[in-house]
C-alpha cells in the first residue's frame, strides 16, 4: 500500500485515512505486504502497540523516567559495519517493571573502544549513587573489559566503568525476554488493563527494528524443521 501511494496509484489522503484504522502492530504487514513477516519470529509477542513508550518525532506521548527507579546499562562490543557497538540504558522499579529508555548504536569503523565509551558516558552521565548500578557487557572480549575497567586512565575526566560479565546463554535470555513481554496483572493501570513487564522507548530504533526482524534459522522445508538457533544477523541491540 505504501508503494502504491508513493507511485501515485492511491491518494495520500486515502492512505492516511486507511491506516488510521489499522493497529500499529500490523502496519508493516499491511503497508508492504509482509504477510510472512511473523514466520520464524523469535519474538512474535512483541507488539509496538503495547510495548513502546515515549515520543519519537510526532509519534507517541511524552514519557519521562520516574524518580527512584534503578538504572543499568548493557554493552555489546562491536567493530564494523556488520558488527555494531551497542549500549542500552534501562531502568526498573520495585514492582519489576522495566523500561529501556535509550540506545547507543554505532557501526563507525573509525572509532576506538575508548571513543565509544566516551560517547556512552556523555550520552547519559552515570552518577555515583545507589540508583545507578553495574554495567553488563558481552564477556567474549576480555580486552574491552580491561579497557573499560581502566577507562579513567585512558580518558582523564571520566570515571572507570564497573563492568559485570553478562550471561550469554541465548535460550535462557530469549525465554526471559519473552516472559517480560507478557502483560502482568500486577502492573495493571487505572482501567484494569495489565501492562507488560518490559517496555521500550520509541527512540530505541535499532532495538525495535531488531526485535521485529530477529528470526530462528530456517531450512528449505520451512520453519517447522528449523534448528533451534536464532540467525546471527542484526542482533546486537
Amino acid at each position: 500500500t505504501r508503494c502504491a501511494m508513493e507511485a501515485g496509484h492511491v491518494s495520500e489522503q486515502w492512505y492516511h485515512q486507511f491506516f488510521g484504522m489499522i493497529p500499529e502492530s500490523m502496519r508493516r504487514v499491511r503497508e508492504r505486504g509482509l504477510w510472512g513477516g511473523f514466520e520464524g519470529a523469535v519474538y512474535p509477542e512483541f507488539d509496538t502497540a503495547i510495548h513502546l513508550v515515549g515520543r519519537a518525532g510526532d509519534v507517541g506521548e511524552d514519557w519521562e523516567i520516574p524518580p527512584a527507579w534503578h538504572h543499568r546499562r548493557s554493552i555489546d562490543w562491536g567493530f564494523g559495519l556488520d558488527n555494531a557497538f551497542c549500549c542500552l540504558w534501562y531502568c526498573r522499579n520495585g514492582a519489576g517493571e522495566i523500561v529501556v529508555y535509550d540506545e547507543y548504536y554505532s557501526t563507525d569503523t573509525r572509532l576506538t573502544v575508548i571513543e565509544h565509551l566516551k560517547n556512552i558516558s556523555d550520552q547519559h552521565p552515570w552518577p555515583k549513587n545507589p540508583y545507578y548500578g553495574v554495567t553488563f557487557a558481552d564477556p567474549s572480549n576480555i580486552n574491552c573489559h580491561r579497557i573499560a575497567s581502566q577507562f579513567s586512565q585512558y580518558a582523564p575526566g571520566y570515571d572507570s566503568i564497573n563492568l559485570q560479565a553478562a550471561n550469554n546463554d541465548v535460550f535462557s535470555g530469549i525465554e526471559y525476554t519473552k516472559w517480560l513481554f507478557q502483560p502482568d496483572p500486577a502492573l495493571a493501570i487505572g482501567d484494569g488493563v495489565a501492562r507488560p513487564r518490559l517496555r521500550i522507548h520509541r527512540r530505541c530504533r535499532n532495538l525495535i527494528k531488531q526485535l521485529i526482524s530477529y528470526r530462528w534459522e530456517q531450512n528449505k522445508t520451512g520453519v517447522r524443521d528449523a534448528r533451534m538457533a536464532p540467525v546471527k544477523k542484526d542482533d546486537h541491540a
Side-chain angles (χ1 to χ4, degrees):
T1 312
R2 177 183 285 274
C3 293
M5 186 267 291
E6 292 172 348
H9 300 308
V10 298
S11 71
E12 185 174 353
Q13 180 181 4
W14 176 90
Y15 172 85
H16 289 298
Q17 288 176 342
F18 177 76
F19 279 100
M21 301 181 291
I22 300 297
E24 187 174 355
S25 60
M26 288 294 293
R27 287 184 68 92
R28 293 178 68 253
V29 175
R30 298 303 300 266
E31 282 185 320
R32 297 198 177 274
L34 301 177
W35 297 104
F38 297 120
E39 291 184 5
V42 173
Y43 297 116
E45 54 276 285
F46 177 64
D47 186 344
T48 57
I50 64 172
H51 290 115
L52 299 186
V53 301
R55 180 180 295 277
D58 58 352
V59 179
E61 300 179 359
D62 287 335
W63 184 88
E64 295 183 359
I65 301 172
W69 284 41
H70 291 267
H71 298 250
R72 298 291 186 271
R73 296 178 294 195
S74 292
I75 294 177
D76 187 20
W77 314 109
F79 309 96
L81 296 177
D82 297 322
N83 187 19
F85 191 108
C86 181
C87 179
L88 299 177
W89 288 263
Y90 47 100
C91 55
R92 178 175 180 168
N93 64 10
E97 183 178 5
I98 301 171
V99 175
V100 182
Y101 59 85
D102 208 355
E103 69 176 10
Y104 171 83
Y105 195 91
S106 176
T107 57
D108 191 337
T109 57
R110 300 168 298 178
L111 298 181
T112 65
V113 174
I114 296 297
E115 290 170 318
H116 283 305
L117 294 177
K118 284 183 177 180
N119 291 339
I120 290 170
S121 299
D122 292 339
Q123 186 165 331
H124 285 287
W126 209 247
K128 294 181 178 180
N129 70 52
Y131 292 108
Y132 289 79
V134 68
T135 298
F136 297 99
D138 179 2
S140 63
N141 194 317
I142 191 64
N143 290 324
C144 290
H145 278 250
R146 177 182 55 79
I147 292 172
S149 65
Q150 300 174 358
F151 184 43
S152 61
Q153 299 178 29
Y154 293 103
Y158 290 86
D159 292 327
S160 293
I161 298 176
N162 179 20
L163 282 186
Q164 180 174 322
N167 182 346
N168 265 13
D169 187 317
V170 174
F171 295 107
S172 64
I174 288 174
E175 286 298 312
Y176 183 59
T177 303
K178 292 168 78 71
W179 178 79
L180 289 173
F181 278 144
Q182 297 175 14
D184 185 350
L187 300 177
I189 52 180
D191 58 5
V193 177
R195 290 189 298 191
R197 303 173 180 92
L198 172 62
R199 294 180 293 159
I200 298 162
H201 199 286
R202 295 176 191 272
R203 69 169 65 96
C204 303
R205 297 180 183 274
N206 292 285
L207 175 58
I208 295 167
K209 178 181 177 181
Q210 292 180 6
L211 283 168
I212 293 171
S213 64
Y214 201 33
R215 290 290 185 271
W216 297 111
E217 286 188 6
Q218 300 185 41
N219 57 26
K220 292 181 180 179
T221 60
V223 74
R224 179 182 297 175
D225 299 318
R227 292 193 307 118
M228 286 298 290
V231 178
K232 287 295 295 177
K233 180 181 179 182
D234 297 331
D235 60 351
H236 306 290

